[in-house]
Amino acid sequence: MNDLTIHFNEQDYIATYNEQTGFYEVNLQAPAEGGIYDADIEFIDLFGQSYEDTQVIQVLAQEEIKIETNEILMWIFDFRDFTIKDIVELSDYEINIDEETNITSLARVLKKTTAEAQDIIFIKKNGKIVYWGIIDKITNEDGNKVYEYTLKYITNMFDEEVESNYEEGVEDLIRTTGIEDFLQKTIQDHFISNEDDFVNKKYLEVRALTHTKLETSITNIENGIYKFHTWMTNCTQNYDIVYDFFIENKKLIMTIAKKEGQKELINVNAQPISNYTEVFETKVIAKVVVKTKEEGRYILYLLNDRTTTTDMNNKNRAKGTTKRVYTEKMKDARQTALDVFKQNSYSHNVTFKMLDKYIKIGTPIAIKTKENVILDTYISAIKITKNKFIEYTCGNIRIKFIDKLLKERKR
């Protein structure tokens, strides 16, 4: 008897063969939340041979009823003690959320406030927080009624230099416990429980929600000092670490976690999308040479199936360019090389605008293109203006460059 098993949403289902239709049928229990889910299928034939496949299933959820207003409000909090200074309505704004480029946002207010540089803000639109930031500067020209706020994304509150050897063994947390735990401890030690109590942000609480062990070290150290915010951004780019903020019991809560969650389907053909742009590349880094301070070189090669090898003579090596990089310690060399290879299949190469729909930064999405191809990606940058269309940029598009190159060579 043939046997077909489906693993869906952490449950196993046995499909039944329908002789009238010639198909296997099964009733799946829908998850509580809508999104794109993987269904892992295993089929065992009469001879005991096993076959496996994965199909994506879209689960629809009832859309929330939205109460829309023309107001967009900004809350201003004192950076010293997190007390509320003011709540103001914005007359104009351009909100940019992109930690990779650290681009600024602009907000214009028709009111003088007691706000100052470093104060923390959040901006609400239609009852939802769409932006957390800190004030970089406030300008007012020639006594004009308009006050222009230049804002930076809130993680810039950690834009300080940190000593790499402030406590022996702390960096080992990345390997033994998780990179999120290292980030949490560094923020706790330098920004919350600093020996200089005057600079401490006692209203801040940091929570590590996931624990990702990695064979890597801090990469941007110069003379024993590194920019902590730059390292945080590197963790987002290379290891999918995201930072979220909310208020709980009058405290500012920051969470650190590896990006996870159910995907949201973006259908280019069916949804109100404009300015959809898709860019493809075929340039591949196929060899990485890692130089270390005192321990020599480490060389890693890319194979056609997108795995890697240290064997220079492997017959399945992919053709492409060579990149040379540096890391101080040999134990970090392999991870450094793998981070370089990620550039082959992860890049910002899709942008689009959606009508009045807010998708949180870091949200995993699956884009269904006009050719019905599913692109697996996530929201890496957002631009919000008075226009009802919100502009999105996608990162980490998993385009199979090697497969594409092989196909081109066969032609």
Side-chain angles (χ1 to χ4, degrees), residues 30-290:
E33 296 183 6
I36 303 297
Y37 292 79
D38 286 336
D40 297 318
I41 303 168
E42 182 183 12
F43 177 73
I44 301 176
D45 63 18
L46 294 172
F47 302 100
Q49 182 68 40
S50 178
Y51 307 88
E52 295 181 353
D53 193 13
T54 299
Q55 296 290 327
V56 294
I57 296 177
Q58 181 182 5
V59 177
L60 300 177
Q62 185 174 355
E63 188 172 359
E64 294 181 15
I65 299 174
K66 292 187 287 187
I67 302 174
E68 297 189 4
T69 69
N70 293 323
E71 286 185 335
I72 180 161
L73 302 174
M74 181 169 71
W75 273 251
I76 304 171
F77 299 85
D78 194 307
F79 74 94
R80 300 174 188 85
D81 58 12
F82 205 56
T83 56
I84 296 179
K85 282 188 172 182
D86 213 334
I87 301 173
V88 293
E89 184 177 356
L90 304 186
S91 62
D92 195 13
Y93 53 91
E94 181 179 297
I95 299 170
N96 295 288
I97 310 173
D98 187 349
E99 290 186 86
E100 296 183 8
T101 63
N102 205 23
I103 191 170
T104 58
S105 297
L106 291 177
R108 294 181 176 89
V109 178
L110 298 173
K111 175 185 176 182
K112 185 176 182 179
T113 70
T114 58
E116 57 187 309
Q118 298 185 65
D119 279 349
I120 299 168
I121 64 98
F122 69 68
I123 295 175
K124 253 186 180 181
K125 185 176 183 180
N126 294 326
K128 287 188 175 181
I129 297 177
V130 295
Y131 182 75
W132 279 95
I134 62 170
I135 297 174
D136 185 43
K137 63 180 178 180
I138 305 170
T139 56
N140 174 250
E141 295 183 2
D142 300 326
N144 198 303
K145 289 183 179 180
V146 177
Y147 292 81
E148 184 173 274
Y149 290 67
T150 302
L151 310 171
K152 287 188 174 182
Y153 192 63
I154 191 170
T155 52
N156 282 274
M157 69 193 301
F158 307 115
D159 189 13
E160 293 184 10
E161 287 82 8
V162 171
E163 295 181 36
S164 60
N165 58 347
Y166 79 91
E167 185 179 329
E168 187 178 351
V170 170
E171 196 175 345
D172 292 338
L173 283 174
I174 299 173
R175 296 177 176 82
T176 60
T177 309
I179 197 166
E180 302 93 333
D181 302 88
F182 169 78
L183 292 164
Q184 179 191 35
K185 181 167 177 57
T186 304
I187 294 172
Q188 180 70 42
D189 291 350
H190 288 82
F191 298 91
I192 302 175
S193 303
N194 194 298
E195 61 181 13
D196 182 2
D197 192 55
F198 184 75
V199 302
N200 283 332
K201 304 179 190 297
K202 297 180 180 179
Y203 53 83
L204 178 64
E205 181 182 325
V206 185
R207 301 172 183 173
L209 303 184
T210 56
H211 310 278
T212 308
K213 298 177 184 178
L214 292 169
E215 290 298 322
T216 191
S217 299
I218 303 163
T219 54
N220 56 314
I221 300 173
E222 290 185 16
N223 301 316
I225 297 173
Y226 70 99
K227 279 267 192 179
F228 182 62
H229 183 253
T230 302
W231 172 242
M232 290 176 66
T233 303
N234 290 345
C235 293
T236 298
Q237 292 174 327
N238 295 325
Y239 311 120
D240 298 332
I241 303 299
V242 295
Y243 314 101
D244 281 319
F245 296 83
F246 61 93
I247 296 174
E248 182 179 277
N249 297 326
K250 297 183 179 181
K251 297 196 76 172
L252 178 62
I253 310 298
M254 174 187 181
T255 61
I256 305 173
K258 186 175 177 65
K259 182 181 76 257
E260 295 175 342
Q262 301 302 329
K263 299 183 186 73
E264 180 163 342
L265 179 65
I266 306 296
N267 191 331
V268 171
N269 301 304
Q271 290 171 283
I273 290 174
S274 71
N275 297 83
Y276 176 81
T277 304
E278 191 171 344
V279 179
F280 294 95
E281 296 177 280
T282 57
K283 185 177 180 181
V284 172
I285 299 170
K287 174 182 175 182
V288 178
V289 180
V290 183

Side-chain angles (χ1 to χ4, degrees), residues 244-347:
D244 281 319
F245 296 83
F246 61 93
I247 296 174
E248 182 179 277
N249 297 326
K250 297 183 179 181
K251 297 196 76 172
L252 178 62
I253 310 298
M254 174 187 181
T255 61
I256 305 173
K258 186 175 177 65
K259 182 181 76 257
E260 295 175 342
Q262 301 302 329
K263 299 183 186 73
E264 180 163 342
L265 179 65
I266 306 296
N267 191 331
V268 171
N269 301 304
Q271 290 171 283
I273 290 174
S274 71
N275 297 83
Y276 176 81
T277 304
E278 191 171 344
V279 179
F280 294 95
E281 296 177 280
T282 57
K283 185 177 180 181
V284 172
I285 299 170
K287 174 182 175 182
V288 178
V289 180
V290 183
K291 286 190 65 178
T292 64
K293 187 175 182 179
E294 298 174 349
E295 301 173 82
R297 299 189 307 166
Y298 176 85
I299 303 175
L300 198 61
Y301 305 94
L302 187 66
L303 301 180
N304 288 325
D305 63 357
R306 287 169 286 144
T307 59
T308 58
T309 182
T310 56
D311 179 10
M312 181 175 62
N313 299 313
N314 192 298
K315 64 180 181 179
N316 291 317
R317 276 184 60 185
K319 290 186 177 181
T321 61
T322 299
K323 186 162 184 177
R324 290 172 173 81
V325 294
Y326 172 83
T327 190
E328 189 167 330
K329 305 168 186 174
M330 180 60 78
K331 64 182 180 181
D332 299 332
R334 177 173 173 78
Q335 186 65 57
T336 300
L338 291 173
D339 292 344
V340 172
F341 282 138
K342 286 183 179 181
Q343 298 172 29
N344 287 331
S345 55
Y346 293 78
S347 69

